[in-house]
Amino acid sequence: MYNLFRRILILRSPSSVFTHGFSESPLKSLRFLSTSSEIVSSPKSASLPSNVVQLKNNRKAVIAFFENHGFSELQISDIVKKIPLILSANPETLFPIFLFFKSKGLSSSAITKLVCSAPQVLKRSLNQEIIPVFDYIQAVLGTVEKTVTTIKRFPRILGWDLRISVDPNIELLKQFGVPDSNISTFLQRHPKLFSTSPIRFKEIVERVTEMGFNPQRLLFVVAVSAMQSITKSTWNKKVEVYRKWGLSEEELSLAFRKNPLCITFSEDKINGGMDFFVNKIGCEPSFVARRTLLISLSLKKRLFPRGFVYQVLLSKGLIRKHEYLFLLFESPEKRFIEKIINPHKEQIPGLLKMYKQKLMDSKDEQLHIPS
C-alpha cells in the first residue's frame, strides 16, 4: 500500500471536493475507515497545513478502502488515473454503492470488475442515479437476475439517464409493433443499441421497415442493431467488398435480410470466407449469399479442418460435390463427428485422428486437397 500511495501522490492534487450527493447517513462504524481518522503527529507533518494532512490521510483511507474490497494496486492506480478526484472522496459515501450491488447478488469479484470497467459509477448518486437506472432496467427485463446480467455486460449503462437515452427508443420500437419480449431480449444482450440518439434510431428503424423486415420477429431488432453498429461509409465499404465477389444488388439484399449481421463482419473475414467457399470449395458466390452464416465461422478452427474432411470424402467418392455442406460446416462438433466422420470410419481408418490433428495444426496450415 505504501508504494502505491507514493505513486499516486505524484498525480496532480484535486482542487475540489469529490461529491456524490448521497442522502444516506455516513456508516461511521466501519472498521476499514479507521485510517481516515489517524492524526499525523510527527514534527515534519506538524509543519504542514492541516488541510494537506487531512488530504493525505483521506487518500490513504480511499486506497485502504479499495484494498479491503479486493482491488489490486494496478486496478487502484488505473481507477485513480481515470478519475483522480476519487482520492478526495469520503469512503463512507463509496461503501453504500458496493453494498447495493452486493445486495443485488453481485459477488465481490463481479463488483471489482464492474468498477474497473466503469469507475465513473463511483461518481454517481446511489439514490438519484444508480438505483433509478437499476429499477428501470428491471422493469423492462422483469427480474433482478437479468438486470444484473445486463449491467455486468455493459456497466456504463449505469451512467445514462435512461429517460432521455433509452426510453424514447424503446417506445419507438413498441410503436412499430416490436413485441416486449424482443425488446427485453436485446436490452439484455446488447444494451448499447438503445443508447443511439432518438433521431438516428428512428431513421434506422424506418429504414429496416422499408427493407421488408417484420417487426414481430426478432430478426427486425437484429437488423436495427446491425445498422446502428456501423456508419454509412462503413456500410458502403462492406457492400463494395461483397460486390467484388460478384454479388448482385438483389443477392446483397437477400443476404442482409437472411442474416443482418453479415454487414458487420470485417473486410478480412468477408474476403477469407468468400475465398474459402468460392475458390477452395468451388461454390457460386450466390450460394454464400444465401448462407452468410458460413462466413462468420472461424477459418482456422472450423472451415479449414472441416474442409479437409470434405475434400478427403470427395476424393474417395464417398460424397458428391457440394453435398452436406450445411451439415459439414454449420453443425456443432459432436454432430459433425457423428454424422460426417463416424459413418466413414471403416472406409477411411484414422479419419477422426487426421481431423483432430488438423484442428491442432490449423493455425499454420492451409487447406490441403488430397490426390
Side-chain angles (χ1 to χ4, degrees):
M1 172 178 156
Y2 177 72
N3 291 334
L4 173 63
F5 181 60
R6 288 191 61 187
R7 289 202 300 270
I8 290 179
L9 279 178
I10 67 175
L11 295 172
R12 182 178 179 181
S13 299
S15 58
S16 60
V17 177
F18 187 95
T19 59
H20 290 68
F22 293 128
S23 61
E24 292 88 355
S25 59
L27 305 177
K28 296 182 180 299
S29 61
L30 298 174
R31 287 182 297 172
F32 60 79
L33 296 182
S34 60
T35 53
S36 65
S37 60
E38 293 174 357
I39 299 176
V40 179
S41 57
S42 66
K44 183 176 181 180
S45 62
S47 63
L48 296 175
S50 60
N51 62 334
V52 174
V53 175
Q54 291 174 357
L55 180 59
K56 289 181 65 177
N57 285 333
N58 196 78
R59 291 183 177 186
K60 290 180 180 179
V62 170
I63 294 171
F65 172 86
F66 283 119
E67 288 181 332
N68 285 327
H69 281 80
F71 290 77
S72 67
E73 287 192 6
L74 183 61
Q75 290 171 328
I76 298 173
S77 295
D78 188 56
I79 292 172
V80 172
K81 288 178 183 177
K82 292 178 180 177
I83 45 173
L85 288 180
I86 192 67
L87 293 175
S88 297
N90 185 340
E92 293 180 355
T93 63
L94 298 178
F95 181 74
I97 298 178
F98 284 66
L99 190 63
F100 172 76
F101 288 133
K102 194 171 185 63
S103 72
K104 296 302 181 180
L106 275 78
S107 64
S108 297
S109 60
I111 295 174
T112 299
K113 185 176 180 180
L114 185 153
V115 172
C116 289
S117 299
Q120 291 75 13
V121 69
L122 300 178
K123 298 166 60 177
R124 312 295 288 178
S125 165
L126 178 62
N127 282 339
Q128 299 176 21
E129 296 171 304
I130 295 177
I131 291 178
V133 167
F134 192 98
D135 290 345
Y136 180 94
I137 299 173
Q138 183 178 339
V140 176
L141 299 183
T143 67
V144 172
E145 291 74 19
K146 290 180 179 179
T147 304
V148 169
T149 299
T150 301
I151 291 174
K152 288 167 66 176
R153 182 174 286 118
F154 193 71
R156 282 181 291 175
I157 196 173
L158 292 169
W160 297 352
D161 185 340
L162 301 188
R163 293 169 298 179
I164 296 175
S165 61
V166 173
D167 196 55
N169 294 338
I170 289 180
E171 289 302 316
L172 179 66
L173 290 176
K174 290 181 178 180
Q175 292 172 17
F176 273 78
V178 178
D180 289 346
S181 58
N182 290 353
I183 295 175
S184 299
T185 296
F186 249 75
L187 180 60
Q188 183 179 358
R189 296 180 183 175
H190 306 283
K192 191 176 180 180
L193 165 66
F194 297 91
S195 67
T196 310
S197 71
I199 295 177
R200 182 166 183 262
F201 194 80
K202 183 177 180 181
E203 292 174 350
I204 293 173
V205 171
E206 290 175 344
R207 186 177 176 189
V208 168
T209 303
E210 292 170 357
M211 295 177 74
F213 285 89
N214 184 351
Q216 293 290 320
R217 301 187 61 185
L218 185 60
L219 205 59
F220 181 92
V221 189
V222 175
V224 172
S225 176
M227 295 188 70
Q228 179 266 351
S229 67
I230 60 176
T231 63
K232 185 176 181 180
S233 61
T234 301
W235 171 283
N236 292 334
K237 288 180 181 178
K238 302 292 181 64
V239 168
E240 190 58 33
V241 173
Y242 281 112
R243 281 190 184 135
K244 288 180 179 179
W245 285 98
L247 297 184
S248 65
E249 291 295 326
E250 183 178 349
E251 289 169 336
L252 281 168
S253 179
L254 174 64
F256 185 73
R257 288 200 303 273
K258 283 182 169 292
N259 179 22
L261 296 180
C262 71
I263 203 67
T264 66
F265 300 157
S266 69
E267 294 183 29
D268 287 343
K269 195 164 191 63
I270 295 171
N271 284 323
M274 293 297 294
D275 177 68
F276 177 82
F277 285 103
V278 174
N279 295 330
K280 292 182 171 63
I281 303 299
C283 299
E284 292 295 325
S286 57
F287 168 82
V288 187
R290 294 193 299 272
R291 302 291 296 199
T292 53
L293 177 63
L294 293 170
I295 301 177
S296 70
L297 302 174
S298 170
L299 275 173
K300 295 178 180 179
K301 297 179 181 179
R302 176 71 69 91
L303 299 184
F304 283 168
R306 295 193 183 187
F308 167 80
V309 173
Y310 168 75
Q311 297 291 3
V312 170
L313 296 177
L314 187 64
S315 68
K316 300 296 184 180
L318 298 174
I319 61 173
R320 295 189 297 271
K321 189 174 184 179
H322 298 165
E323 188 176 19
Y324 304 134
L325 288 185
F326 299 150
L327 184 62
L328 263 158
F329 295 108
E330 293 188 17
S331 297
E333 185 73 359
K334 183 178 179 180
R335 180 173 174 79
F336 169 74
I337 292 175
E338 289 178 351
K339 298 297 183 180
I340 299 297
I341 292 184
N342 287 346
H344 303 102
K345 60 184 179 182
E346 292 185 3
Q347 297 97 321
I348 311 177
L351 180 60
L352 178 59
K353 184 177 180 180
M354 289 188 288
Y355 168 66
K356 294 291 187 181
Q357 187 61 47
K358 288 296 179 182
L359 284 175
M360 294 178 63
D361 299 339
S362 60
K363 291 184 178 181
D364 303 314
E365 189 164 330
Q366 298 296 319
L367 177 65
H368 173 64
I369 301 178
S371 57

